[in-house]
Amino acid sequence: MANTFEVLAEPRRREILDLLRVCERPVGDLVGRLGLTQPAVSKHLKVLRAAGLVDVRQDAQRRWYRLRAQPLAEVDAWLAPYRQFWNERLDALERHLDAMPDERPGTGKTDGTEGI
Amino acid sequence: MANTFEVLAEPRRREILDLLRVCERPVGDLVGRLGLTQPAVSKHLKVLRAAGLVDVRQDAQRRWYRLRAQPLAEVDAWLAPYRQFWNERLDALERHLDAMPDERPGTGKTDGTEGI
DNA sequence: GGCGTATATTCCATATTGGTTATATTCCTC
DNA sequence: GAGGAATATAACCAATATGGAATATACGCC
């Protein structure tokens, strides 16, 4: 496993991250909210820990899990060049609309700078 | 499958997307660049197509595959709330470093307290 | 030290996936 | 219409991940 993308592929693990984004939580809390058995949750947490996506803090028998979002930056970085790509699509739509006979809702200004 | 995250979990599929981001390509081209067998590539393309991540255009026997980045916006949307999160961390680190008495690494001070 | 709680780990059965080989389909060219 | 190129599909195998039940471990408390 070890790869962030694979780790995120599991819906349950994304749920766990979503929960941990709100606050630090012990395993039992996650078990209750996810409707999974305790071993299943522990296993997912192990995977998340191995990927550096969560951190543990031990407090007696309880272990508080905390989000570490940093590895998600890797995903974000991979996504970055694509972002421009899907913006292009939107821009194309926009240009298309702009190119239409000047029927802009709102401003009637035509200063000629909109083609940029 | 069908879920964008799961589809992206495969390194080979991300490679395919990376290649298609550059330009539209026929299957054979991908086969050559990935060093995979043709059936393997076709399977990945099928998965990508099912997920709406690529589009096909038929031209005689050749099929040109093209990127459709839109589903990646879904991933981006999931990532959004986390983005703030990892910025916080960096900011915290920055504040931490700023708050330190001028003990920046590289100042040559050797009082032996840095092994923390 | 024994007990109960909270969590991790092991073992097992099942399911899915990615790859390979072989075959089918589609379309062009001769 | 026969042959060949480009791609898709089918059948099969090996590897792996997931979930559950049972068990082990760690810790605080009495």
Side-chain angles (χ1 to χ4, degrees):
Chain A
M1 189 80 63
N3 169 33
T4 306
F5 285 91
E6 301 177 48
V7 173
L8 293 181
E10 245 296 314
R12 260 56 199 291
R13 284 196 283 261
R14 290 201 302 279
E15 282 185 61
I16 289 178
L17 293 182
D18 286 337
L19 288 169
L20 293 182
R21 205 183 57 218
V22 177
C23 60
E24 197 181 32
R25 298 175 193 272
V27 179
D29 180 84
L30 295 171
V31 171
R33 291 174 194 277
L34 295 173
L36 279 179
T37 61
Q38 177 266 313
V41 173
S42 276
K43 280 192 212 171
H44 283 308
L45 287 172
K46 186 177 187 174
V47 173
L48 288 168
R49 215 182 336 150
L53 278 161
V54 303
D55 229 359
V56 209
R57 175 174 67 87
Q58 187 153 0
D59 162 39
Q61 314 98 315
R62 213 155 292 172
R63 313 239 176 143
W64 294 81
Y65 280 84
R66 182 172 32 125
L67 177 68
R68 274 202 60 218
Q70 206 188 347
L72 295 180
E74 169 199 342
V75 176
D76 193 58
W78 181 83
L79 222 53
Y82 292 93
R83 195 167 297 133
Q84 159 194 1
F85 216 91
W86 78 68
N87 284 338
E88 269 173 29
R89 288 254 172 161
L90 294 183
D91 290 352
L93 175 62
E94 215 168 81
R95 276 196 303 276
H96 178 66
L97 293 178
D98 282 354
M100 288 206 125
D102 31 286
E103 272 277 299
R104 309 276 295 281
T107 168
K109 293 198 69 175
T110 56
D111 56 7
T113 61
E114 22 223 292
I116 306 181
Chain B
M1 188 81 61
N3 169 33
T4 306
F5 285 92
E6 300 177 48
V7 173
L8 293 181
E10 243 299 309
R12 261 55 202 290
R13 285 196 282 263
R14 291 200 301 279
E15 282 185 63
I16 290 178
L17 293 182
D18 286 338
L19 288 169
L20 292 182
R21 204 184 57 216
V22 178
C23 61
E24 197 180 32
R25 298 176 193 270
V27 179
D29 180 83
L30 295 171
V31 171
R33 292 174 193 276
L34 295 172
L36 277 180
T37 60
Q38 175 265 313
V41 174
S42 276
K43 276 199 210 171
H44 283 308
L45 288 171
K46 186 176 187 173
V47 173
L48 288 168
R49 215 182 334 149
L53 279 162
V54 302
D55 230 1
V56 209
R57 177 174 66 87
Q58 187 154 1
D59 162 41
Q61 313 100 314
R62 214 155 292 171
R63 313 241 177 140
W64 294 82
Y65 279 85
R66 184 173 28 125
L67 177 68
R68 273 202 60 218
Q70 207 190 344
L72 295 179
E74 169 200 340
V75 176
D76 192 59
W78 181 83
L79 221 53
Y82 291 94
R83 194 166 298 134
Q84 158 196 0
F85 219 91
W86 77 67
N87 285 337
E88 271 172 26
R89 287 259 173 158
L90 293 183
D91 290 353
L93 175 61
E94 216 167 81
R95 276 195 304 275
H96 179 65
L97 292 179
D98 282 354
M100 284 208 126
D102 23 76
E103 268 277 293
R104 315 281 285 276
T107 57
K109 296 196 68 172
T110 57
D111 56 6
T113 61
E114 16 222 295
I116 309 179

